Amino acid sequence: MTTSILDPENSALVSRDEDAAVARPVTSYVTYRIRHTLASRFAFLIVCLAIILSALVYGTVHYWALALFFLGGTTIVILWLIDGWMLGSFRISRNVLQLSVVGMLLLGAFQLLPLRKPEDIGTHTIPLVGSLSLDPYSTRFILAQTFALLIYFAAVLVFTDTPKRLRLLVRTIAVFGFFLAIFGLTQSFTSPDKLYWIRDMPQSQAFGPFINRHHFAGYMELALALPLGLVFTGAIEKEKRFIYLFAAGLMAVALVMTNSRGGIISLLSELLFLVATMGLRRKRHGKGSHHKHQPRIKSAAIKAGLALSLVVALFGGVVLLGGEDALTRMVGSVNTDDPTTGRAHFWGVTVDIIKTHPWIGTGLGAFGVVYTGYDSRNGAYRLEQAHNDYLQVLSDGGIIGAVIALFFVVNLFRMGFTRRDSRDDFRRGVATGAMAGCFAVLVHSFFDFTLHTPANALLFLVLAALATINGRVEDVQSRRKKRSRRSLEAAAETD
């Protein structure tokens, strides 16, 4: 059995322009017939089910839910091997974003090595730990989660290999996000203190199936990005735009109703990202290209007006549904009874940890143990996360971990904007929306730790894959039909 490496650039013939930074498709396209084995169909189905089930089982934060999550990843690997055996070649993607996930795995494995000497133990460390990680159990646990996420991420890049599968995956996320928003709103009105109207959660601020309302807000940021991206880029038919707007609007209302200030800020950032990127599409050279400047300005103005209308309608809907608390919390004073409002103190302690362990950090997942040795307060609250993912990456992984994470983010948007220049409207809309969702979560990560929930991390990686996946998912036939239709329309106008 051979190994088939999928080209990340495109599946069409390309011409290299010495003055251009990327390859440009030429007028003649090559379509590849992809044979879908039964194993590949089941692998793609498991990915779609994992997106849904990981959110429904409390965001996959309990051990039994994580066991199911790992079982799904193991099943994908088995199906992947069967698919490779049936095709005679094992397919893998060359998408460079996978290198960052592998890099984190290697960093965590290195932190587990018993390289710490007794004389290196300081006043803030645990004397019985000989590994570089100060909490080796948590580091192993994080490595297992990261490896499972890598399997799902790589599977999306390989098995989302046709325009039909791309549309199915996008619609699965959008439709599920819509119904999840309805479920969250209904539960918040009828039984706000219970999950699924059964399980009491007296010590948490739950919303929908998530134990943490901020994590539900993070999931909504990701899910509503795809329909918004399709609407803002005009990638869907006019008669369907209201449906997509309604679905995205309901998800946005559910997000605001969580009372998550970080979520509301991230939602506004998401809309600003979509408006700001409207004028960034690369100019195409050719006949009549100088006539397109004015329409682009007009289109950007329309999209800006649409974003403003969405914001007004969103907050109006929140007020009608009785969500004044969300708006007053956004602009009101800080509640000192809420332990999450002490972020300034948390961040200050985290900075002290970073100064002590600058290069490889204290160990992936070790923050909860290490924090107690640096906390200057009475320790009334046990803090598991830093409430700022950027500081926690530096704390857990040091400068090396931060470089790995930065490599992921830079390449995500570099490749995403390249894919956004596609001539396939749906592909362009998906890339734009996926980048907007990732951008929103990256903003949210300044205030919370939403990506520490496996369900959110999975959806984030799926959107990263949708933003950067190669040209196999582009609808070549659709582009040919559009060019033929435009040619006929031009000929009719001249006649």
Side-chain angles (χ1 to χ4, degrees), residues 12-332:
L13 293 175
V14 296
S15 62
R16 295 286 179 177
D17 188 344
E18 294 180 356
D19 297 329
V22 297
R24 294 176 178 172
V26 296
T27 56
S28 176
Y29 291 89
V30 177
T31 57
Y32 293 97
R33 291 186 178 181
I34 299 175
R35 177 189 169 193
H36 286 155
T37 64
L38 185 61
S40 74
R41 298 176 192 273
F42 275 108
F44 183 76
L45 176 63
I46 291 175
V47 170
C48 294
L49 290 177
I51 295 172
I52 297 172
L53 296 178
S54 63
L56 294 179
V57 291
Y58 311 117
T60 313
V61 295
H62 298 303
Y63 288 119
W64 62 269
L66 285 167
L68 293 175
F69 191 72
F70 297 152
L71 179 62
T74 303
T75 306
I76 288 176
V77 172
I78 295 173
L79 293 171
W80 203 338
L81 292 172
I82 295 174
D83 175 71
W85 177 74
M86 296 180 68
L87 293 177
S89 63
F90 183 77
R91 297 186 292 165
I92 59 175
S93 173
R94 291 172 54 190
N95 191 306
V96 297
L97 296 185
Q98 297 171 108
L99 296 179
S100 292
V101 186
V102 174
M104 282 297 182
L105 290 173
L106 294 177
L107 175 61
F110 180 75
Q111 291 174 334
L112 291 175
L113 296 178
L115 300 178
R116 189 179 301 277
K117 300 178 181 179
E119 58 267 22
D120 295 335
I121 298 175
T123 58
H124 298 292
T125 58
I126 304 173
L128 297 180
V129 174
S131 64
L132 294 176
S133 171
L134 299 181
D135 187 0
Y137 172 79
S138 295
T139 300
R140 294 189 192 98
F141 188 72
I142 292 298
L143 286 178
Q145 285 187 352
T146 305
F147 185 69
L149 288 169
L150 175 61
I151 292 173
Y152 285 103
F153 183 41
V156 173
L157 292 170
V158 169
F159 294 112
T160 309
D161 52 6
T162 63
K164 182 179 180 180
R165 285 193 173 181
L166 174 67
R167 291 176 180 270
L168 179 59
L169 183 57
V170 170
R171 288 168 181 167
T172 297
I173 296 171
V175 172
F176 174 67
F178 172 74
F179 284 106
L180 188 64
I182 294 177
F183 168 62
L185 289 171
T186 304
Q187 183 175 263
S188 68
F189 293 141
T190 59
S191 182
D193 298 328
K194 294 183 178 181
L195 286 174
Y196 290 106
W197 296 275
I198 298 175
R199 181 181 177 185
D200 289 313
M201 302 297 295
Q203 296 182 342
S204 68
Q205 298 174 323
F207 200 96
F210 286 77
I211 297 175
N212 189 317
R213 57 187 171 85
H214 300 287
H215 297 174
F216 180 89
Y219 199 92
M220 289 292 101
E221 294 161 12
L222 293 165
L224 66 87
L226 292 177
L228 277 184
L230 293 171
V231 170
F232 270 76
T233 56
I236 53 177
E237 297 82 356
K238 291 183 179 180
E239 59 270 17
K240 296 181 180 179
R241 291 177 187 174
F242 176 77
I243 299 175
Y244 281 76
L245 275 176
F246 179 75
L250 189 65
M251 286 186 267
V253 170
L255 185 157
V256 176
M257 291 292 289
T258 63
N259 292 340
S260 171
R261 283 178 290 196
I264 296 173
I265 293 172
S266 301
L267 175 61
L268 296 177
S269 302
E270 191 168 4
L271 292 173
L272 289 175
F273 180 91
L274 289 170
V275 174
T277 55
M278 285 302 100
L280 294 181
R281 188 180 177 187
R282 293 186 181 90
K283 297 179 181 180
R284 289 197 177 91
H285 301 284
K287 184 177 179 180
S289 61
H290 59 283
H291 297 296
K292 298 180 181 179
H293 183 66
Q294 189 66 26
R296 278 200 299 269
I297 296 177
K298 181 180 179 180
S299 176
I302 293 175
K303 298 303 190 305
L306 175 62
L308 180 61
S309 301
L310 282 173
V311 172
V312 174
L314 168 63
F315 287 102
V318 170
V319 173
L320 290 176
L321 290 174
E324 295 89 347
D325 291 342
L327 304 182
T328 55
R329 188 174 189 272
M330 179 68 183
V331 298

Side-chain angles (χ1 to χ4, degrees), residues 463-482:
L463 261 63
L466 292 178
T468 60
I469 203 167
N470 64 25
R472 296 170 299 151
V473 297
E474 296 185 9
D475 193 348
V476 178
Q477 298 299 326
S478 175
R479 285 177 286 178
R480 287 175 176 172
K481 291 178 181 179
K482 289 177 182 179

Side-chain angles (χ1 to χ4, degrees), residues 261-262 265 339-355 367 371 374-377 383 385-395 443-449:
R261 283 178 290 196
I265 293 172
T340 64
T341 57
R343 286 182 175 86
H345 174 70
F346 303 158
W347 298 345
V349 174
T350 306
V351 170
D352 292 337
I353 298 174
I354 295 170
K355 291 178 181 178
F367 183 83
Y371 181 84
Y374 289 80
D375 189 10
S376 59
R377 291 185 176 178
L383 190 67
Q385 314 294 343
H387 291 268
N388 184 311
D389 280 342
Y390 301 96
L391 289 178
Q392 188 157 347
V393 166
L394 282 167
S395 173
V443 172
H444 200 167
S445 294
F446 279 104
F447 314 102
D448 288 304
F449 50 99

